[in-house]
Amino acid sequence: MKDYFDEAPAFSNEFFRRRFRMSKRLFLRIVNDLEANYDYFKQKPDARGALGFTGIQKCTSALRILAYGNTTDINDEYLKMAEKTTRDSLEHFCRGIIDVYGARYLRTPTWEDLQKIYEVHNAEHGLPGMIGSIDCMHWRWDNCPTAWRGQHTRGDQKGPTIILQAVASQDLWVWSAYFGVVGSCNDINVFEQSPLLEEWISGKAPKASFYANGNYYPHGYYLSDGIYPRYSIFVKTFSDHIDDKRAYFKKVQESSRKDIERCFGVLKQRWQYLRNPCRAWSKQKMRDAMYACIIMHNMILEDEGKAICQNYVPEAVQQEHPQASMEERVNNARELRYEPYHSQLMVDLVHHAWSVRYVPPEGDEETEDEEDEVGEGEESEDEN
């Protein structure tokens, strides 16, 4: 408490932000919400009448484990907290973050959110209708049971893993996360069993129309790599570019799709617990830790004003969607897997990206050519 929470703390807010991965304002908000919803985080006397740990101490213990990836006995010296209490604090903390903040910070985008996302992606990447980028990440599982190691191991990984599929926008906000698929699967297997596909087939996925190259499209799309199928919600790159337009679009698509790669890198750097192989014995504990880290990642973006969708309206998320009939599900699945839609969207995006590309004025090009000629002349004189 003297180090960080007194009126004149020993360490400044900059040190707090670096060691807790968030501002003191956000940390205290989390502590107060957890104390209000869970008795575990309230300070209570034990059987001897001595007061136990406060909510701040338990949340500090959990955050230190997630932020630095330390073992659970690391808090013996600093917080005087036993290893068992540290493990329990981490489990209750992750579960509490999901229950209290999951509906808000791990929600699907609303129609208003999609309009803001479209605007930012069109301005930053030159791609209209882009919702975000989709990809998968593996998390090593050290304590995987021997009987399960075969189905959790893949040739390109060093050991048993569990896969995370995520969708991130340009601001690195995670709009969709699905964790728990065995490591032997590829990206297609993960997507085919993810809730993201079910949302599109059941008609619950939010849709916002846009125009590309003058043509109307009823819903947005995700940027993906080459393994994903030719669905109407995916935009992939070209394996071979036959002209300048396709070559330029290939560069735009591949650079824009790095949003999800940057998001994975920030998650691992911010939460070292995800970078290191997991030592948990239960898949459920791994799942809670992964979702808790993603939710706090989004909370930090909002707290620091870096999120695209800062103004949150809770009523917009609580809309109830009627259950789709079997005929509607079949039609939605057919539209989702309609390859001509995917091909036409690719063509229109290629033309749109080429039409909005930056073309330097003629004077600038001539100046650059003259500078190159002067440089070549000086080099030849030096050689002589």
Side-chain angles (χ1 to χ4, degrees):
M1 297 296 293
K2 292 181 179 179
D3 286 343
Y4 297 103
F5 299 100
D6 276 355
E7 294 182 358
F11 297 96
S12 62
N13 292 331
E14 288 75 15
F15 282 97
F16 188 97
R17 171 65 178 80
R18 188 177 72 182
R19 291 170 181 170
F20 286 77
R21 302 297 194 261
M22 62 182 68
S23 64
K24 186 184 299 185
R25 174 183 62 253
L26 178 58
F27 176 79
L28 294 177
R29 171 192 166 191
I30 293 175
V31 172
N32 294 332
D33 290 343
L34 292 179
E35 288 180 346
N37 289 276
Y38 298 96
D39 289 337
Y40 179 81
F41 291 95
K42 297 178 181 178
Q43 188 179 28
K44 295 174 293 185
D46 57 13
R48 301 172 301 167
L51 288 176
F53 293 103
T54 64
I56 289 180
Q57 290 173 307
K58 292 179 179 179
C59 292
T60 299
S61 170
L63 276 178
R64 288 298 177 90
I65 299 298
L66 295 176
Y68 289 94
N70 294 324
T71 57
T72 52
D73 62 348
I74 196 67
N75 294 322
D76 285 348
E77 298 176 344
Y78 183 58
L79 295 175
K80 304 297 185 290
M81 185 177 291
E83 181 179 0
K84 175 67 165 57
T85 308
T86 301
R87 285 201 308 268
D88 293 343
S89 299
L90 178 62
E91 294 173 13
H92 284 84
F93 179 82
C94 294
R95 192 67 252 170
I97 290 293
I98 296 172
D99 293 340
V100 176
Y101 301 109
R104 172 171 181 172
Y105 292 98
L106 205 55
R107 69 186 191 274
T108 57
T110 62
W111 187 87
E112 291 80 7
D113 294 336
L114 288 176
Q115 299 302 316
K116 299 176 182 178
I117 294 172
Y118 285 177
E119 182 180 357
V120 171
H121 285 165
N122 193 18
E124 294 291 335
H125 301 314
L127 296 174
M130 173 184 166
I131 301 176
S133 306
I134 184 172
D135 204 358
C136 293
M137 180 187 78
H138 289 256
W139 189 15
R140 283 276 308 279
W141 188 12
D142 262 7
N143 289 335
C144 176
T146 304
W148 292 359
R149 285 184 174 266
Q151 61 180 333
H152 285 81
T153 305
R154 207 169 71 179
D156 59 339
Q157 302 296 325
K158 296 182 179 180
T161 61
I162 299 180
I163 302 177
L164 165 71
Q165 175 190 274
V167 174
S169 52
Q170 190 271 341
D171 59 344
L172 306 186
W173 184 286
V174 179
W175 291 104
S176 174
Y178 175 56
F179 179 79
V181 181
V182 297
S184 60
C185 295
N186 57 25
D187 295 4
I188 301 177
N189 307 139
V190 178
F191 173 74
E192 290 294 336
Q193 55 184 303
S194 67
L196 185 64
L197 177 63
E198 175 61 24
E199 289 178 357
W200 285 94
I201 294 179
S202 62
K204 296 181 180 180
K207 298 180 181 179
S209 60
F210 69 97
Y211 286 87
N213 196 31
N215 293 327
Y216 172 83
Y217 291 93
H219 57 76
Y221 56 86
Y222 308 103
L223 299 185
S224 63
D225 52 16
I227 192 175
Y228 284 89
R230 295 169 58 86
Y231 286 177
S232 62
I233 59 174
F234 292 140
V235 169
K236 306 192 293 183
T237 187
F238 297 103
S239 57
D240 55 340
H241 46 278
I242 59 177
D243 54 11
D244 293 340
K245 290 184 178 181
R246 288 198 173 195
Y248 180 76
F249 179 78
K250 178 181 175 67
K251 181 173 67 173
V252 170
Q253 196 272 353
E254 291 177 351
S255 60
S256 303
R257 201 187 64 81
K258 297 301 179 185
D259 292 343
I260 185 63
E261 304 295 346
R262 292 191 300 120
C263 180
F264 289 154
V266 170
L267 275 175
K268 291 181 179 180
Q269 187 66 20
R270 177 171 285 159
W271 310 113
Q272 295 288 324
Y273 191 79
L274 304 181
R275 178 185 292 274
N276 301 332
C278 187
R279 293 179 291 269
W281 292 96
S282 170
K283 266 189 176 183
Q284 184 60 44
K285 294 179 181 178
M286 295 179 64
R287 187 179 293 110
D288 291 346
M290 176 63 74
Y291 286 144
C293 290
I294 293 175
I295 290 171
M296 288 190 292
H297 166 79
N298 288 346
M299 294 176 69
I300 293 172
L301 291 179
E302 184 188 62
D303 181 68
E304 296 179 350
K306 298 179 181 179
I308 295 176
C309 304
Q310 289 286 134
N311 299 324
Y312 171 73
V313 181
E315 291 77 13
V317 182
Q318 298 175 359
Q319 299 175 354
E320 294 184 0
H321 298 272
Q323 186 172 357
S325 63
M326 183 56 65
E327 183 179 358
E328 292 174 343
R329 292 179 62 88
V330 171
N331 292 333
N332 292 337
R334 185 182 297 113
E335 293 176 0
L336 182 69
R337 298 179 171 90
Y338 190 56
E339 285 197 15
Y341 182 102
H342 170 84
S343 302
Q344 183 61 39
L345 176 61
M346 293 282 291
V347 172
D348 288 336
L349 289 178
V350 168
H351 288 290
H352 177 85
W354 182 258
S355 64
V356 300
R357 75 190 192 283
Y358 173 73
V359 179
E362 297 181 358
D364 294 348
E365 293 181 351
E366 293 178 358
T367 303
E368 292 177 359
D369 295 339
E370 292 176 358
E371 291 178 354
D372 294 340
E373 292 177 359
V374 170
E376 292 176 359
E378 293 178 353
E379 290 178 0
S380 61
E381 291 178 0
D382 294 339
E383 292 176 356
N384 294 333

